[in-house]
Amino acid sequence: MRTAVMVHAEGWIDARAATDDWLKKLPHAYRAERLYYKDAARDDGRAWIVTRGAQGSQVWVDGECQTIAAAPIREALDPTGCGDAYRAGLLYGIVNNLDWQTTGQLGSLMGSLKIARKGGQNHQFSRDEIGQYYYENFGARIF
């Protein structure tokens, strides 16, 4: 069983076990998240995010898949907390109405920055540092 994380329009988060049947619908899923958000301009308010570790991730919206490359890592020290860091990037993108490609890339970047630090919460980066890392990896300014 895996965990599905739902971020509801009201802002609360609900995590529950996902059934194997649910996961079979998503190809090669290491982990899948179903995100709910409130924005009429962004489809019907649902997206599926499939994380695939070093193979990157996929964002499924309206039956279409956007493939997100994994951001390069400097050194793989500890994967503890990488999923949380990835979700932090996703939530930032959703809250700030970034497009799905940018949102997924930011999630990927946050996970790659985290894996280079030991411990689940022993990493700290400024907004400027994250912006610079994003530019170096994806060739665009995010902030």
Side-chain angles (χ1 to χ4, degrees):
M1 270 255 184
R2 308 221 186 211
T3 302
V5 177
M6 293 180 275
V7 182
H8 297 270
E10 295 82 18
W12 53 276
I13 298 174
D14 179 18
R16 51 180 85 189
T19 65
D20 289 336
D21 288 340
W22 178 77
L23 287 172
K24 285 178 189 173
K25 295 177 184 175
L26 300 171
H28 312 293
Y30 293 160
R31 186 176 189 114
E33 320 280 338
R34 184 175 188 178
L35 301 180
Y36 289 90
Y37 52 90
K38 186 177 182 180
D39 185 342
R42 293 179 104 185
D43 310 305
D44 68 354
R46 290 185 206 143
W48 291 95
I49 312 297
V50 181
T51 58
R52 301 169 46 119
Q55 286 76 44
S57 58
Q58 299 170 325
V59 178
W60 292 82
V61 179
D62 267 347
E64 293 191 24
C65 176
Q66 292 184 39
T67 300
I68 311 295
I73 59 172
R74 294 178 180 188
E75 185 177 13
L77 291 179
D78 184 359
T80 305
C82 287
D84 295 332
Y86 182 93
R87 280 187 291 284
L90 288 179
L91 292 174
Y92 181 91
I94 291 168
V95 167
N96 289 285
N97 292 314
L98 300 178
D99 62 72
W100 283 113
Q101 187 71 29
T102 303
T103 297
Q105 288 172 334
L106 181 58
S108 176
L109 179 72
M110 298 305 292
S112 75
L113 291 173
K114 191 317 177 182
I115 203 168
R117 302 287 194 278
K118 288 191 178 202
Q121 298 179 2
N122 297 334
H123 54 287
Q124 203 171 16
F125 302 95
S126 71
R127 180 181 171 100
D128 290 340
E129 288 173 309
I130 292 169
Q132 183 59 34
Y133 292 141
Y134 187 91
Y135 178 74
E136 289 170 7
N137 285 283
F138 301 109
R141 298 282 178 202
I142 193 168
F143 306 121

